[in-house]
């Protein structure tokens, strides 16, 4: 007996003298007055739990148990006293039934200026249907809130989260560094307006893995200043596909570089992999882009570069895009197109696309080889490329 005692005692002693190793501050939103009844406003309770987690000098974990929690717009602000806040959600967060309550806020849930936040699990139900109906009726409506946004933040992890029926974009990453998103599910009808799945801009080191996005607008949209972005095992559809752009809306704009889409499936989407820019002057660019191992199923525009975007033909003085598109690789892209032109490169006459590389492309339209169209596009093709390359 006496010989074994130190073995039991030692770890305890170690804990006592080094509390930072396992002293995670555990906070349950129920202790702050949140109610899992779907009817009681739990906004203050969530905010109170966050405030305590953020003020903690040791790692903190906020727990949201099963049930439905009614929440208005909440901003979770940094900077915090620790760099390890975990929010584990077993329940569903629901927005108020009246879309106007959160409809004029930019975001439903916003994380600002945080470092080291992980969200594990959770369903976010923004109840966007009412706002979409308002928008579709032509009435004047609130613009709608993004469901979940991270801005000026770093070291963010989102795993196993589901976003349902967002009013506007589902998830936005803006001005962030090192963001990992895994097993994210986005669900909204194909007819829902402006419901982009995940939007990334002015951010570096964003990774999106193993995610499934069904929505009414872009599956993933990539704005100016997105660099070192990696997407792997993504399923899109319905929706508008993965889009780099629209770029070049402003004269002065951060470029997009080093973007990889690896192993993706597009089902019945409007586009597959797209690069899009405004037909107006800009110093923007998109370069070092890779689209690899992509399956298209009945996609209207499987491969597209469109540099002539000018809605309503307004404010595009010379109708030429300043955005330089270069070094774009399409490798192992196969499947079916819903229209005859499966590959369309419509580049800027002033800054032709360069370094486009196609290898192992095989797209059909109604069981025949589809067509390709090129304007101001240069590059090379290797191996099987069908439709035949027009580069
Ligand atoms: C490109 O981005 C990936 C992450 O997506 C990163 O690992 C790699 O180092 C980047 N390459 C360059 C040249 O910056």
């Amino acid at each position: 007996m006496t010989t074994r005692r130190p073995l039991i005692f030692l770890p305890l002693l170690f804990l006592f003298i080094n509390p930072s190793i396992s002293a995670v501050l555990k906070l349950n939103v129920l202790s702050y007055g949140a109610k899992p009844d779907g009817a009681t406003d739990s906004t203050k309770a969530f905010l109170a739990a966050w405030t305590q987690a953020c003020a903690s000098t040791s790692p903190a974990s906020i727990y949201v148990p099963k049930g439905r929690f009614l929440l208005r717009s909440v901003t979770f602000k940094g900077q915090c006293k620790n760099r390890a806040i975990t929010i584990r959600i077993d329940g569903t967060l629901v927005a108020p039934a009246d879309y106007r309550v959160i409809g004029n806020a930019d975001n439903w849930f916003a994380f600002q200026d945080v470092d080291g936040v992980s969200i594990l699990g959770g369903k976010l139900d923004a109840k966007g249907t009412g706002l979409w109906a308002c928008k579709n009726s032509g009435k004047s409506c609130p613009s709608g809130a993004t469901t979940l946004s991270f801005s000026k933040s770093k070291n963010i992890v989102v795993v196993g989260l589901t976003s349902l029926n967002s009013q506007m974009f589902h998830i936005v990453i803006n001005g962030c560094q090192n963001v990992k998103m895994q097993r994210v599910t986005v669900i909204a009808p194909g007819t829902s307006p402006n419901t982009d799945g995940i939007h990334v801009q002015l951010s570096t080191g964003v990774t999106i893995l193993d995610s499934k996005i069904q929505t009414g607008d872009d599956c993933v949209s990539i704005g100016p200043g997105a660099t070192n972005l990696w997407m792997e095992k993504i399923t899109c559809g319905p929706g508008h596909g993965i889009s780099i752009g629209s770029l070049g809306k402003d004269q002065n704009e951060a470029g997009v570089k080093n973007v990889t889409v690896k192993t993706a499936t597009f089902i019945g989407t409007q586009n597959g992999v797209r690069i899009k820019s405004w037909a107006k002057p800009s110093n923007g660019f998109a370069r070092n882009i890779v689209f690899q191992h992509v399956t298209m199923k009945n996609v209207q525009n499987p491969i597209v570069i469109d540099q002539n975007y000018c809605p309503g033909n307004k404010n595009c003085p010379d109708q030429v895009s300043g955005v330089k598109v270069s070094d774009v690789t399409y490798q192992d892209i196969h499947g079916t197109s819903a229209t005859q032109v499966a590959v369309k490169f419509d580049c800027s006459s002033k800054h032709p696309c360069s370094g486009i590389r196609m290898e192992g492309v095989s797209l059909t339209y109604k069981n025949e080889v589809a067509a390709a169209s090129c304007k101001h596009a240069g590059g090379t093709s290797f191996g099987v490329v069908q439709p035949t390359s027009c580069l």
Side-chain angles (χ1 to χ4, degrees):
M1 275 302 274
T2 42
T3 50
R4 293 179 76 166
R5 223 178 179 158
L7 285 179
I8 300 165
F9 185 62
L10 255 177
L12 282 171
L13 180 70
F14 184 63
L15 247 181
F16 183 68
I17 57 175
N18 194 350
S20 66
I21 284 193
S22 71
V24 175
L25 176 68
K26 296 204 165 155
L27 310 164
N28 185 325
V29 291
L30 298 182
S31 322
Y32 294 85
K35 293 272 185 299
D37 60 7
T40 309
D41 186 341
S42 296
T43 311
K44 279 189 180 147
F46 274 62
L47 208 46
W50 171 261
T51 302
Q52 185 138 11
C54 188
S56 166
T57 50
S58 60
S61 164
I62 297 173
Y63 179 58
V64 181
K66 283 210 175 94
R68 293 171 70 78
F69 295 86
L70 180 67
L71 289 156
R72 289 175 286 118
S73 290
V74 192
T75 301
F76 300 101
K77 280 204 179 92
Q79 300 176 341
C80 296
K81 292 236 160 67
N82 71 84
R83 289 186 190 169
I85 297 178
T86 302
I87 304 175
R88 198 154 70 78
I89 310 174
D90 283 339
T92 301
L93 314 188
V94 293
D98 181 348
Y99 61 79
R100 289 170 299 190
V101 179
I102 64 165
N104 283 308
D106 288 339
N107 305 293
W108 184 21
F109 301 114
F111 287 84
Q112 264 175 26
D113 221 0
V114 299
D115 181 356
V117 169
S118 303
I119 301 180
L120 311 180
K123 225 185 219 171
L124 313 182
D125 182 357
K127 296 187 175 282
T129 321
L131 178 63
W132 311 331
C134 177
K135 285 185 172 178
N136 287 335
S137 75
K139 278 189 284 200
S140 87
C141 316
S143 56
T146 286
T147 286
L148 174 64
S149 102
F150 294 91
S151 58
K152 293 189 217 130
S153 295
K154 54 186 175 186
N155 306 319
I156 304 298
V157 173
V158 176
V159 180
L161 178 122
T162 299
S163 173
L164 206 63
N165 296 334
S166 62
Q167 289 191 338
M168 270 280 286
F169 291 9
H170 288 263
I171 298 171
V172 169
I173 312 288
N174 184 8
C176 295
Q177 271 174 54
N178 188 24
V179 179
K180 277 213 174 72
M181 312 191 73
Q182 202 172 354
R183 297 199 318 274
V184 168
T185 306
V186 164
I187 304 172
T191 51
S192 56
N194 309 117
T195 52
D196 291 32
I198 302 174
H199 177 79
V200 181
Q201 65 174 31
L202 294 171
S203 295
T204 190
V206 176
T207 304
I208 306 169
L209 301 177
D210 232 338
S211 294
K212 190 171 179 201
I213 297 169
Q214 311 172 251
T215 196
D217 208 307
D218 291 339
C219 173
V220 181
S221 54
I222 298 148
T227 64
N228 302 357
L229 169 58
W230 188 274
M231 290 164 268
E232 188 169 346
K233 292 197 197 149
I234 311 286
T235 304
C236 299
H240 294 181
I242 293 181
S243 184
I244 297 179
S246 307
L247 303 178
K249 188 171 188 209
D250 298 319
Q251 167 65 47
N252 265 309
E253 196 179 89
V256 170
K257 65 179 177 198
N258 188 16
V259 173
T260 302
V261 175
K262 182 178 171 179
T263 314
T265 303
F266 295 86
I267 305 165
T269 49
Q270 184 191 78
N271 307 290
V273 290
R274 175 171 68 168
I275 300 174
K276 179 179 172 190
S277 77
W278 284 74
K280 58 199 235 180
S282 173
N283 65 352
F285 61 83
R287 62 171 173 253
N288 300 344
I289 315 289
V290 176
F291 301 111
Q292 199 179 42
H293 310 314
V294 177
T295 304
M296 305 284 180
K297 295 185 181 169
N298 200 33
V299 171
Q300 287 174 46
N301 308 292
I303 294 179
V304 55
I305 298 179
D306 171 12
Q307 294 209 261
N308 287 297
Y309 181 59
C310 189
N313 275 323
K314 269 191 207 138
N315 304 319
C316 308
D318 49 9
Q319 300 281 330
V320 167
S321 178
V323 173
K324 292 188 184 70
V325 176
S326 61
D327 298 313
V328 184
T329 297
Y330 300 90
Q331 201 175 38
D332 182 23
I333 317 268
H334 56 268
T336 56
S337 175
T339 67
Q340 186 156 27
V341 179
V343 177
K344 185 177 169 189
F345 296 129
D346 187 2
C347 296
S348 166
S349 57
K350 201 161 165 198
H351 302 289
C353 297
S354 64
I356 295 179
R357 196 186 145 102
M358 305 191 82
E359 183 177 3
V361 174
S362 168
L363 294 163
T364 59
Y365 169 62
K366 291 189 171 164
N367 295 320
E368 311 263 324
V369 172
S373 120
C374 290
K375 261 190 217 157
H376 314 294
T380 42
S381 65
F382 306 86
V384 176
V385 174
Q386 288 185 321
T388 306
S389 166
C390 55
L391 292 168

